[in-house]
Amino acid sequence: MRVFISGASSGLGEAFARYYDARGAQLGLFARSGDKLHALSASLSKPAACYVGDVRCTADLHKAAADFLQDGPVDIVIASAGISVGILNGMVEDADVFREIIETNVLGLGATFEPFIPGMQSRGSGTLVGISSVAGVRGLPGSSAYSASKAAVTVFMESLRIDLYGTGVKVVTIAPGFIDTPMTRQNPYPMPFLMQPDAFAQRAGQAITRGRRYTVIPWQMGLVARLMRFVPSALYDRVMSRSGRKPRRQ
């Protein structure tokens, strides 16, 4: 099994790398931090192919994909690179952060899949995995860019699944709740059902193997997400306006 993972240097990407390494996969790891990537590779059961780049740069992804594909077809591509930072739309200095979040979480996800899709289609197999979030179900305070990006990911993955229907290529969306990673440790509010990354990767890996179209992890947050959809907007606005906000970048 050959697996390519973006955002692999920490957080969910690192957890996926360790999960698939334990199952004997040959890994291609892509991230901006070369030092962290190589340290992760050195800690695995066998060295991974490490690629330093930014998912916002399609040339970086094409170069990495072309190199990894030289050794054979890729079975699973996991687009886990992501940024979660609070913004306030009235702050002019947050405009660039907004753009960075959308470019990384949405455009970067699509660009991660693009070089691998033709090969998967031609052989009629393979799995594309996109990391969405429960934060994309409804808007969260201070998280307008992040919530918007994850809502876009969910709908993008659904459209991609329809486009590839009947080709043999599986499209899997994983929507995490709160996972204990560097991204969530800055949150100044309670995080119900907080899950460790290795436990998350275990459950996500099972969903990927089964080809589940959409999975919320942990399952308790799936129930919360369903309930959130039915809360009247007036009540939702009033309650969430009093909640803690995602910190802005300092």
Side-chain angles (χ1 to χ4, degrees):
M1 177 169 53
R2 307 186 73 242
V3 182
F4 184 91
I5 304 169
S6 71
S9 61
S10 65
L12 302 187
E14 178 183 352
F16 277 121
R18 296 191 183 282
Y19 173 84
Y20 283 105
D21 174 67
R23 283 148 187 81
Q26 182 180 358
L27 300 177
L29 306 180
F30 183 97
R32 290 182 297 180
S33 175
D35 291 343
K36 290 182 179 179
L37 269 187
H38 289 97
L40 172 59
S41 177
S43 73
L44 301 175
S45 65
K46 59 179 178 293
C50 295
Y51 304 102
V52 180
D54 192 323
V55 294
R56 295 178 295 170
C57 178
T58 55
D60 289 351
L61 287 164
H62 276 262
K63 183 177 179 180
D67 184 82
F68 194 54
L69 285 165
Q70 285 184 351
D71 293 328
V74 176
D75 301 290
I76 301 172
V77 177
I78 303 176
S80 63
I83 298 173
S84 177
V85 182
I87 72 163
L88 292 175
N89 284 335
M91 305 292 287
V92 66
E93 58 266 36
D94 283 358
D96 288 341
V97 181
F98 196 144
R99 185 177 299 106
E100 181 183 359
I101 291 170
I102 298 298
E103 289 179 350
T104 301
N105 295 3
V106 184
L107 303 183
L109 177 137
T112 300
F113 295 146
E114 183 264 318
F116 297 98
I117 290 175
M120 289 184 173
Q121 285 182 294
S122 66
R123 71 176 191 274
S125 66
T127 302
L128 304 171
V129 182
I131 305 302
S132 183
S133 173
V134 172
V137 174
R138 297 196 74 164
L140 299 179
S143 298
S144 55
Y146 184 71
S147 289
S149 74
K150 291 305 182 179
V153 166
T154 297
V155 177
F156 170 85
M157 294 297 291
E158 185 171 52
S159 293
L160 182 62
R161 190 175 70 240
I162 294 167
D163 289 342
L164 294 176
Y165 185 82
T167 65
V169 181
K170 298 176 182 177
V171 178
V172 174
T173 306
I174 305 292
F178 293 113
I179 315 299
D180 185 16
T181 67
M183 184 182 290
T184 60
R185 288 172 197 149
Q186 63 179 311
N187 293 341
Y189 44 76
M191 293 183 285
F193 314 116
L194 183 68
M195 177 178 276
Q196 293 304 306
D198 57 344
F200 164 82
Q202 175 78 28
R203 296 187 191 181
Q206 293 169 354
I208 293 167
T209 298
R210 294 170 186 163
R212 295 281 300 273
R213 291 174 175 82
Y214 179 86
T215 302
V216 178
I217 302 172
W219 65 267
Q220 295 94 330
M221 286 303 294
L223 295 178
V224 172
R226 290 191 186 98
L227 291 173
M228 286 171 65
R229 292 189 178 98
F230 295 104
V231 176
S233 294
L235 175 59
Y236 185 81
D237 293 352
R238 184 163 63 252
V239 172
M240 295 306 293
S241 67
R242 301 168 185 167
S243 300
R245 297 174 180 269
K246 172 74 73 173
R248 295 170 60 236
R249 181 179 292 169
Q250 299 302 315

